[in-house]
Amino acid sequence: MERSRGNSSRLRLLLAVLLFELVSAAAAITRDDFPEGFVFGAGSSAYQVEGAWAEDEKKAKHLGDIHAAGLCARPCNGRRGCRSVSQVQGMFFNPMSPRRGLLCKAMLMVDQLQEDVRLMHEMGLDAYRFSISWPRLIPDGLGAVNQKGLEYYNSLIDELLKHVPFKSSRHQEFKQPGLGLQNDDAPWALRKLLEHLQIKYANPPVIIYENGAGHEPDPSGGLLYDDEFRSPFLQVYIEAALQSIRNGSNVRGYFVWSFMDVFEYIYAYEFQFGLIGVDYGAEGRTRYPRSSARWYAGFLHGGELRTVAPDGSRASS
């Protein structure tokens, strides 16, 4: 019995040492551990952040506009059932509805692009992933280009060129089915997927374009600054990506979803994913950085990969 207890104690000690070494190794990770040219960024999409869907000669011919009219919000802990098409149309498209402004104005990125790009620069993003709303650029689908839409995208790209090393990719405004990794096994699954691509598909270049965690808004309407759950969630994926790179995977970039709160296709405003929060109650949709934004910024500016406490201090290892 004593020998068994002794063996058990030594095993616990060994496990504790291994756990400490793993935590210490994770805490020592910086962006310099990633290959030269590796891109860290964050993303959004046109329909979900631009707002002004019927302004500046933009026409609602996009699938996203049609989708919004038929949006069927998921039940929210049993408090809210599925809405009918007519109910959603009334909420978002009835001129008398107080919520119409939320969809039509969305995050008002059309009006506040300079502020948003400034926040990207301060965060230290290598790249911002965005999409182009073709109904804003070519309202009739064919033919003449909408000059105001062209001016908006030119202005956005000019600001990005000045403040954020510019890289772009196409984001389908109507999301395509993808690999859903939403539980504790997901980082392991990500590594296995990258290993599979490495072995079976000649190790193609891979960029992780969307990785994020959402939360429900404060029911009292308050602003959520301390999203303490999000930083550890993102950290384990960043660590998984680095481990895969060290094992030979050709991972070249990682993008957080999302840069700021957006109008979600499935969840509408019932789930928020942003590093930057948006005050929907303010006329100008005021932006505010959450603790996860400070955590990501600290890492991108050369700090060690650690979670961040709600007061902004770095958590110890």
Side-chain angles (χ1 to χ4, degrees):
M1 178 68 70
E2 291 299 322
R3 178 176 298 180
S4 176
R5 288 178 181 174
N7 290 338
S8 178
S9 298
R10 284 193 291 273
L11 178 60
R12 286 197 296 269
L13 178 60
L14 177 61
L15 290 174
V17 170
L18 289 174
L19 179 61
F20 175 79
E21 290 178 350
L22 287 172
V23 171
S24 298
I29 292 174
T30 70
R31 66 171 305 160
D32 289 337
D33 291 299
F34 288 79
E36 183 178 357
F38 190 92
V39 176
F40 282 101
S44 69
S45 77
Y47 174 72
Q48 294 173 271
V49 296
E50 285 181 3
W53 71 272
E55 299 175 16
D56 292 339
E57 301 179 22
K58 181 176 186 275
K59 296 183 180 179
K61 292 186 175 181
H62 189 280
L63 279 177
D65 297 318
I66 299 170
H67 169 71
L71 179 68
C72 185
R74 289 184 174 178
C76 185
N77 295 331
R79 295 193 302 271
R80 188 175 307 168
C82 188
R83 299 188 181 95
S84 68
V85 171
S86 61
Q87 286 176 313
V88 176
Q89 286 175 331
M91 287 170 56
F92 294 119
F93 293 99
N94 183 343
M96 301 303 293
S97 170
R99 293 198 69 182
R100 179 180 186 274
L102 291 181
L103 179 59
C104 296
K105 293 293 185 182
M107 272 46 74
L108 286 172
M109 195 166 184
V110 166
D111 299 327
Q112 298 181 210
L113 67 88
Q114 289 183 332
E115 178 190 354
D116 292 334
V117 174
R118 177 184 61 80
L119 290 169
M120 296 173 201
H121 174 71
E122 291 177 355
M123 194 179 295
L125 299 184
D126 296 327
Y128 171 60
R129 177 175 175 249
F130 66 97
S131 68
I132 291 174
S133 171
W134 293 107
R136 187 180 304 284
L137 196 59
I138 308 176
D140 292 315
L142 295 172
V145 173
N146 176 16
Q147 189 60 34
K148 292 183 178 179
L150 185 62
E151 289 173 0
Y152 164 68
Y153 287 113
N154 279 340
S155 297
L156 173 60
I157 292 170
D158 286 345
E159 286 296 312
L160 289 170
L161 286 171
K162 285 190 290 185
H163 301 291
V164 179
F166 175 66
K167 289 182 174 63
S168 176
S169 65
R170 185 176 70 172
H171 179 119
Q172 293 289 359
E173 286 193 278
F174 200 74
K175 292 191 178 181
Q176 301 178 26
L179 180 64
L181 304 175
Q182 300 177 350
N183 55 46
D184 293 338
D185 294 327
W188 173 86
L190 174 63
R191 292 194 299 270
K192 296 302 291 185
L193 174 63
L194 292 171
E195 181 182 348
H196 179 73
L197 293 173
Q198 181 181 353
I199 296 171
K200 297 294 185 179
Y201 294 94
N203 205 18
V206 173
I207 295 179
I208 300 170
Y209 271 138
E210 291 189 23
N211 180 223
H215 65 270
E216 293 182 341
D218 186 333
S220 69
L223 304 182
L224 181 69
Y225 287 87
D226 300 329
D227 56 341
E228 68 282 350
F229 69 94
R230 185 170 281 121
S231 300
F233 176 92
L234 298 174
Q235 175 166 327
V236 294
Y237 282 94
I238 294 174
E239 292 171 356
L242 180 59
Q243 183 176 344
S244 295
I245 291 170
R246 287 173 171 171
N247 290 334
S249 291
N250 193 10
V251 184
R252 298 188 180 184
Y254 171 88
F255 286 71
V256 174
W257 182 267
S258 54
F259 168 66
M260 63 181 175
D261 289 340
V262 302
F263 176 81
E264 290 290 337
Y265 287 110
I266 297 176
Y267 302 107
Y269 298 102
E270 294 182 0
F271 254 66
Q272 299 170 348
F273 287 77
L275 297 169
I276 302 294
V278 177
D279 182 0
Y280 295 114
E283 183 177 354
R285 307 294 186 265
T286 306
R287 280 76 157 133
Y288 61 95
R290 294 192 170 111
S291 60
S292 59
R294 298 194 297 273
W295 168 84
Y296 199 37
F299 172 65
L300 295 182
H301 285 288
E304 293 182 348
L305 188 62
R306 300 180 184 181
T307 55
V308 65
D311 63 2
S313 60
R314 309 296 286 186
S316 63
S317 60

